[in-house]
Amino acid sequence: MVSSSSPDSGTRPPAKRFELLTLGDELLLGLTANGHLTFIGAQLGRRGVILDRNVTITDEAEAIARQFRESWARADVILTTGGLGPTCDDRTREVIAAVLGQKLVFDPEIERAIIDRFNRFGRKMTPNNLKQAYRFERGEVLANANGTAPGLWVEQDGKILCMLPGPPNELQPLFAEQVIPRLAARGLVADREAYVQIRTAGIGESALESKLQPIFDRHGGALGVAFCAHQAQVDCRLSSPDGRLSLAEIDTIALECARLLEEDFLCFGYDSMAKVCADLLRAQEKTLAVAETATGGLLANAFTDICGASKFFAGGVVSYSHDAKMTLLDCPECLLNQHGAVSAECAVAMATGAAEKLGADYALAVTGFAGPCGGTKENPVGTIYLALHAPHGVWSKKLSYPGPRATVKVRAVNAALDWLRRELVRAQRGEAAPGRRISAIQ
Amino acid sequence: MVSSSSPDSGTRPPAKRFELLTLGDELLLGLTANGHLTFIGAQLGRRGVILDRNVTITDEAEAIARQFRESWARADVILTTGGLGPTCDDRTREVIAAVLGQKLVFDPEIERAIIDRFNRFGRKMTPNNLKQAYRFERGEVLANANGTAPGLWVEQDGKILCMLPGPPNELQPLFAEQVIPRLAARGLVADREAYVQIRTAGIGESALESKLQPIFDRHGGALGVAFCAHQAQVDCRLSSPDGRLSLAEIDTIALECARLLEEDFLCFGYDSMAKVCADLLRAQEKTLAVAETATGGLLANAFTDICGASKFFAGGVVSYSHDAKMTLLDCPECLLNQHGAVSAECAVAMATGAAEKLGADYALAVTGFAGPCGGTKENPVGTIYLALHAPHGVWSKKLSYPGPRATVKVRAVNAALDWLRRELVRAQRGEAAPGRRISAIQ
């Protein structure tokens, strides 16, 4: 689905076929996740193109030759990842050159770049690296700022081949900064994002669709709508499949949707919940502390993954024992004895303690049984108590998550993030509800 | 590479071709990572089989039919994931039945299982779920304990088709508990793990290979050796490709390698570094606390991901400000003013403070600049100071990690884990070196 720039374009040429060949035994053996499909698929998807297929095969030369011959016959744009290394096993360039009927030529500029790179790192280049200085005779080089093997680009027989280096930190900038623009310049992908993405949190897909249906109905077939549900978050992509709506019109519809969604609306685009919380805290010049047991550091980590976290994040405590809660969070021993560590009372005491000890405006606390061990009759495995301490009140809530330990942790973190986010949104709108200050000791 | 049970087997039949078809637009658009390839590839790899290829395509019926026809002609075992949902779009069973020349039949037992499942969750079954009660007339059903759509199994034309439900928490137990045993019973995969995996930490692949080469040389071509390098960890798999060595003999060689590797040896199998640390702490009846800034909760999370963490993990502090370090870890203010938060002195004070406040035998501290913001001339972005507090001493070390924020965090966590692990291994052997007790204030 390649969007055209003119909303009134008539017939469209048949969509081009994009194939992705990911090479590597480590992929077939599950030793490495196929992150290239995830990244490249998403990059193309943002520009209105869906891959026709991804084939993962061994990095053995004959198998690559067979597969490439098949893909080259069938597709219009063929992207390959891997197989560009310096070892003598890497015959990928050779076998593909043979299928294309091209020669490989030594390029002294590539050699110079490789030597420069080794010098910069104070290392001596080994001779086998020189095989990475070969390119297709009738082809171009895509400079690799983060590695030795450049990307290779060939336009031939009305098709395009683009070979990309395997390491993700080399491939991703190269693809985003060089390949996407080249494809856009040739009209093979949209020259900008082909849809507007509305990101929501704390609302399920069916409920979201119901809420937005009145807006969708007003635009009928002109508006393309696609949902993608993640854990605790549903994305909605608006587009104009036949080009009837301009991007400005889609933006307007998206704004209308966001207003209608109120606090269910997370952001436009791709920000995480933690990032949205961070932006709200910084805008309001407020700080946050966290206290966690069951999530064990994962909640603090969500915030500290954000650059500049020290501007809003005061710190956190992983209070994994009664002693830790008493020493680090000033939880009263009698409270722990009376209600136990997995209780609303304890969560509230943890949140208040974290806010006070760390001098933070807001605090989140999580306590519970992540499992699979532990749990009681009243609070089985998967029981989570959250508490939110805000300038104007403190609240707690009880949640229940089935599933393995890692799932319980992730879901509890997402619930805490969404709860904080909604409170910050309300505070921003001046609508923060005064809360009954719950005394930790009744 | 399917290992045979007899070490003296002569000629082997040609290896069977396994193909994996992963269906779903969400995979092609990079909305979901292709975890099925990672899981199934690893499961087969453990039993001596490497997938011939993985093809990811859309879940659109005609495309599935075309691809399946091609794979069915070419491979011996075809595994599919996804396309078994209840919506009317899911015509996967129908198109595959057509290629196989089979009918689909309604199976009242499947229907009963689906109704039971809805009842158990107190929900009403919607009529569209009934399409999941259809199976191939000449085929079998693989019960799905965690979802509504069962797996489907067909043996026909000397080939095998196995269709698996899409959600990972449904697919993974089904595959491990039902599909692998069926394949093993038919001699298509090894009836047990086909290799012994030696997991190492803190040693690079070249150095590891050099260390073990003398042992490998003694067995020549009889011993298969494969390395797989991960971040901070290199795995080495020993096998007998031609069956000359029995599993017991491979075990003996592996034990010899482990002894030679000393502290570089992490474990046999698949345990994480945190798990190995946890086992060592529990065996020595010692406890651990952590104090972190740059890693921001990720180090604590590594330990709390382990079931039963409360048995050895006393807790952690994410001390993201000077105040947090002083209040929660008793770091002296003058130390912070004199040396700064990113210093060996601060790391040592944090570790000692954590050990004392949380009453733990061991403590790890991490401070540094995760980036991309921050850094100084002496301590640029990527500078990390670790400290390890043990019963007999406290030490610090300075590390330097280029790369994005997330990479710095992960590498710092791995370095801390490996350092603790080696210290615990030495303590277990009674070799713990007495350390100069570094006074935090000189």
Side-chain angles (χ1 to χ4, degrees), chain A residues 53-54 67 301 316 318 409, chain B residues 53 56 67 301 316 318 409:
Chain A
R53 86 183 66 190
N54 162 232
Q67 181 60 48
N301 187 60
V318 181
K409 284 176 98 173
Chain B
R53 86 183 67 190
T56 300
Q67 181 60 49
N301 187 60
V318 181
K409 284 176 95 172

Side-chain angles (χ1 to χ4, degrees), chain A residues 211-267:
Chain A
K211 268 197 179 183
L212 298 179
Q213 201 58 54
I215 298 178
F216 298 159
D217 288 342
R218 290 210 313 275
H219 300 279
L223 185 68
V225 178
F227 290 94
C228 182
H230 303 283
Q231 210 285 297
Q233 184 180 293
V234 181
D235 294 338
C236 175
R237 296 178 171 187
L238 305 180
S239 61
S240 177
D242 59 15
R244 258 187 284 170
L245 298 168
S246 69
L247 204 64
E249 285 171 310
I250 299 175
D251 272 342
T252 305
I253 299 169
L255 270 164
E256 194 186 346
C257 291
R259 270 192 294 265
L260 183 62
L261 289 172
E262 292 186 301
E263 285 146 33
D264 294 337
F265 172 76
L266 177 60
C267 65

Side-chain angles (χ1 to χ4, degrees), chain A residues 17 25 27-34 37-38 41-42 45 49-58 66-67 70 74 228 230 237 295-298 300-301 304-310 313-321 324 327-328 357-358 371-373 405 409, chain B residues 17 25 27-34 37-38 41-42 45 49-58 66-67 70 74 228 230 237 295-298 300-301 304-310 313-321 324 327-328 357-358 371-373 405 409:
Chain A
R17 281 215 176 118
D25 282 1
L27 296 173
L28 295 170
L29 288 167
L31 300 174
T32 308
N34 192 358
L37 170 60
T38 318
V49 165
I50 177 166
L51 278 167
D52 189 70
R53 86 183 66 190
N54 162 232
V55 184
T56 301
I57 54 169
T58 179
R66 275 195 307 269
Q67 181 60 48
E70 195 186 299
R74 174 175 56 214
C228 182
H230 303 283
R237 296 178 171 187
T295 45
L298 197 58
N301 187 60
T304 61
D305 263 352
I306 293 162
C307 288
S310 53
F313 188 65
V317 172
V318 181
S319 48
Y320 230 67
S321 62
T327 307
L328 297 176
K357 295 285 265 207
L358 288 157
C373 345
R405 188 181 183 85
K409 284 176 98 173
Chain B
R17 282 217 174 117
D25 282 2
L27 295 173
L28 295 170
L29 289 168
L31 299 175
T32 309
N34 191 357
L37 170 60
T38 318
V49 166
I50 176 165
L51 279 167
D52 189 72
R53 86 183 67 190
N54 163 232
V55 184
T56 300
I57 55 168
T58 178
R66 275 195 307 270
Q67 181 60 49
E70 193 186 300
R74 172 174 59 213
C228 183
H230 302 282
R237 295 179 172 184
T295 45
L298 197 57
N301 187 60
T304 60
D305 262 353
I306 293 161
C307 288
S310 53
F313 188 64
V317 172
V318 181
S319 48
Y320 230 67
S321 61
T327 308
L328 296 177
K357 296 283 266 205
L358 287 158
C373 346
R405 188 181 181 86
K409 284 176 95 172

Side-chain angles (χ1 to χ4, degrees), chain A residues 110-120 125 130:
Chain A
I110 305 176
E111 181 196 23
R112 199 165 310 135
I114 295 176
I115 293 175
D116 279 351
R117 185 175 172 80
F118 273 87
N119 286 342
R120 237 183 302 139
M125 181 181 80
L130 282 176

Side-chain angles (χ1 to χ4, degrees), chain A residues 48-381:
Chain A
V49 165
I50 177 166
L51 278 167
D52 189 70
R53 86 183 66 190
N54 162 232
V55 184
T56 301
I57 54 169
T58 179
D59 28 34
E60 190 268 321
E62 292 319 312
I64 295 173
R66 275 195 307 269
Q67 181 60 48
F68 179 69
R69 196 171 290 120
E70 195 186 299
S71 300
W72 186 247
R74 174 175 56 214
D76 302 295
V77 179
I78 295 85
L79 306 164
T80 74
T81 72
L84 298 180
T87 67
C88 56
D89 298 335
D90 284 306
R91 291 182 43 227
T92 313
R93 288 179 197 79
E94 286 94 317
V95 299
I96 287 184
V99 174
L100 293 175
Q102 282 221 30
K103 288 203 195 80
L104 286 176
V105 296
F106 185 83
D107 187 332
E109 281 193 40
I110 305 176
E111 181 196 23
R112 199 165 310 135
I114 295 176
I115 293 175
D116 279 351
R117 185 175 172 80
F118 273 87
N119 286 342
R120 237 183 302 139
F121 284 98
R123 294 203 332 253
K124 195 174 183 330
M125 181 181 80
T126 46
N128 57 0
N129 279 104
L130 282 176
K131 74 178 296 186
Q132 295 173 312
Y134 283 84
R135 61 166 174 83
F136 298 106
E137 188 177 31
R138 288 169 281 123
E140 298 167 63
V141 169
L142 305 172
N144 177 358
N146 299 95
T148 45
L152 300 175
W153 177 278
V154 176
E155 290 182 57
Q156 180 178 313
D157 311 332
K159 297 164 184 281
I160 288 176
L161 163 66
C162 177
M163 300 185 68
L164 299 156
N169 66 307
E170 299 179 27
L171 181 147
Q172 295 185 9
L174 203 159
F175 190 84
E177 294 161 16
Q178 298 188 60
V179 178
I180 286 288
R182 278 172 175 252
L183 293 171
R186 288 153 181 73
L188 290 163
V189 303
D191 54 8
R192 69 188 70 134
E193 297 229 343
Y195 55 74
V196 175
Q197 171 156 291
I198 299 167
R199 184 153 270 198
T200 74
I203 179 172
E205 188 177 338
S206 311
L208 178 63
E209 193 170 11
S210 300
K211 268 197 179 183
L212 298 179
Q213 201 58 54
I215 298 178
F216 298 159
D217 288 342
R218 290 210 313 275
H219 300 279
L223 185 68
V225 178
F227 290 94
C228 182
H230 303 283
Q231 210 285 297
Q233 184 180 293
V234 181
D235 294 338
C236 175
R237 296 178 171 187
L238 305 180
S239 61
S240 177
D242 59 15
R244 258 187 284 170
L245 298 168
S246 69
L247 204 64
E249 285 171 310
I250 299 175
D251 272 342
T252 305
I253 299 169
L255 270 164
E256 194 186 346
C257 291
R259 270 192 294 265
L260 183 62
L261 289 172
E262 292 186 301
E263 285 146 33
D264 294 337
F265 172 76
L266 177 60
C267 65
F268 293 115
Y270 302 89
D271 281 348
S272 65
M273 276 202 286
K275 173 68 163 59
V276 171
C277 286
D279 290 344
L280 287 162
L281 285 162
R282 293 186 67 170
Q284 297 172 33
E285 293 180 339
K286 295 282 189 243
T287 55
L288 170 74
V290 305
E292 9 175 5
T293 54
T295 45
L298 197 58
L299 181 59
N301 187 60
F303 291 106
T304 61
D305 263 352
I306 293 162
C307 288
S310 53
K311 304 260 188 313
F312 67 89
F313 188 65
V317 172
V318 181
S319 48
Y320 230 67
S321 62
H322 277 208
D323 278 348
K325 292 177 181 67
M326 295 189 296
T327 307
L328 297 176
L329 298 168
D330 289 346
C331 287
E333 188 172 7
C334 52
L335 181 148
L336 290 168
N337 290 334
Q338 181 180 351
H339 299 285
V342 179
S343 62
E345 290 83 358
C346 182
V348 163
M350 287 166 65
T352 304
E356 290 176 355
K357 295 285 265 207
L358 288 157
D361 302 295
Y362 288 88
L364 282 168
V366 188
T367 181
F369 292 112
C373 345
T376 64
K377 199 158 175 298
E378 305 80 35
N379 293 321
V381 159

